[in-house]
Amino acid sequence: MNKRNNPDSKWLLDAEVQYRIEEVKGRWEVSLVFIDTHDPKHILIKYINSYRSKRLAEISANAMKQTAEKDKRGTQKVNKDDYNINNN
């Protein structure tokens, strides 16, 4: 089944988008974090790319986040107390 037509992925249209930058083996990895606004425990983390400097990673992450969260209704937000993402 085509991912674009998958009914299980419809929540992504209303998801809040955040980014995560982590240093791994001397490179800075960028991932987008999609958080379901109706169920904040439902998340999807999508690896984007790795960069040689933290600044390049931040620039890329911010651009990707802005592109991913474009919505005619405005930016979706989740109450930060509803979820806790632990990187461990």
Side-chain angles (χ1 to χ4, degrees):
M1 176 178 245
N2 186 342
K3 287 183 181 181
R4 293 179 195 262
N5 297 329
N6 186 345
D8 293 335
S9 64
K10 284 189 174 189
W11 68 273
L12 290 169
L13 297 173
D14 292 329
E16 177 180 348
V17 182
Q18 296 183 5
Y19 61 83
R20 182 173 71 176
I21 299 174
E22 294 181 296
E23 186 176 16
V24 178
K25 297 181 182 176
R27 305 261 312 162
W28 295 91
E29 291 188 353
V30 174
S31 299
L32 287 181
V33 180
F34 297 88
I35 305 168
D36 190 339
T37 55
H38 302 290
D39 178 10
K41 293 178 182 166
H42 186 204
I43 64 171
L44 172 69
I45 300 173
K46 179 71 176 158
Y47 169 79
I48 301 299
N49 206 347
S50 67
Y51 300 88
R52 69 178 187 264
S53 74
K54 186 175 183 180
R55 183 67 185 135
L56 287 174
E58 289 169 345
I59 291 168
S60 174
N62 203 13
M64 291 288 184
K65 178 182 183 273
Q66 289 176 350
T67 300
E69 72 185 5
K70 288 199 183 221
D71 189 332
K72 293 178 184 174
R73 296 166 295 171
T75 302
Q76 303 297 307
K77 291 292 177 188
V78 174
N79 183 353
K80 302 299 181 207
D81 295 329
D82 288 345
Y83 65 91
N84 181 16
I85 297 175
N86 185 349
N87 290 331
N88 291 331

